[in-house]
Amino acid sequence: MRVILKTIPAALFVLASCNNQSKQNQTTNADTTETEQLQTPANNAIPYVLAQNYFVKNTVGEDRNGIHKIETQAAFDELFSPAATMGKDGKPTPIDFDKQYVIAIISATSDLTPTIDSVAVEKQGEEIAVTYKEVLGEKQSFSVRPVAILLVDKQYQGHLKTEIQKEI
């Protein structure tokens, strides 16, 4: 689990460091320290913040794996629980469902160090395309269920379309 929690922020850092846009096109969300990329006419990328410190409830079956658009706190609470940890960044990321919705990516439980990497969200006509990579690494002595919870501003609406790239 620690590997997943360390891998996702590291992947986001790499993606953010590859950003070729000027500093004028970046903004910092007051609730988090994540840097978001603003959408410009030449770039259909949709900015999002990766929510931290949540886990998929044990009562959620494997049939719920995949991508979900969640627009209410009640629907979110059916799938996830907060997982507070010690330290200044230990609190779960706050979600304001009046201004944001969630795109949740839930992968299958595995003992092969599963991760969700290279997440990209962009507007394609009337749809929101979510592309990500599922990576299975080395065998471990326990199983985890990887999840990526993306917070998206409600101004970006559309039906979700996904493309998954799997690596083993």
Side-chain angles (χ1 to χ4, degrees):
M1 183 68 153
R2 289 182 179 166
V3 173
I4 293 170
L5 293 176
K6 291 179 182 178
T7 304
I8 291 174
L12 288 175
F13 177 75
V14 171
L15 289 173
S17 65
C18 294
N19 188 358
N20 291 331
Q21 292 186 347
S22 68
K23 281 197 176 255
Q24 288 180 326
N25 287 345
Q26 292 183 349
T27 183
T28 302
N29 187 326
D31 293 333
T32 66
T33 58
E34 299 284 335
T35 301
E36 300 176 20
Q37 182 178 345
L38 295 178
Q39 182 176 0
T40 61
N43 183 0
N44 290 331
I46 295 176
Y48 65 86
V49 173
L50 186 64
Q52 300 291 325
N53 298 331
Y54 290 98
F55 67 93
V56 179
K57 289 182 175 181
N58 293 337
T59 57
V60 176
E62 294 285 331
D63 61 325
R64 301 290 300 267
N65 292 345
I67 191 162
H68 304 275
K69 184 176 181 180
I70 303 170
E71 300 185 281
T72 65
Q73 185 70 52
F76 183 82
D77 291 341
E78 286 179 20
L79 297 174
F80 303 102
S81 286
T85 58
M86 297 193 61
K88 72 173 191 152
D89 295 326
K91 292 182 181 178
T93 306
I95 304 170
D96 183 355
F97 282 99
D98 290 332
K99 299 176 184 175
Q100 302 168 311
Y101 66 90
V102 168
I103 297 175
I105 304 168
I106 303 173
S107 289
T109 303
S110 178
D111 64 349
L112 296 176
T113 316
T115 59
I116 298 171
D117 295 327
S118 306
V119 179
V121 182
E122 66 179 22
K123 188 77 169 169
Q124 292 181 348
E126 296 298 315
E127 295 181 316
I128 295 176
V130 180
T131 306
Y132 61 96
K133 186 185 326 181
E134 289 183 346
V135 180
L136 296 176
E138 295 182 21
K139 185 153 178 69
Q140 54 193 12
S141 61
F142 55 92
S143 295
V144 294
R145 191 171 188 185
V147 63
I149 300 173
L150 315 176
L151 307 181
V152 180
D153 192 289
K154 282 195 172 183
Q155 71 177 335
Y156 305 103
Q157 291 293 329
H159 294 286
L160 296 181
K161 172 179 135 182
T162 61
E163 181 179 326
I164 307 168
Q165 303 165 355
K166 296 198 181 226
E167 281 187 21
I168 297 177

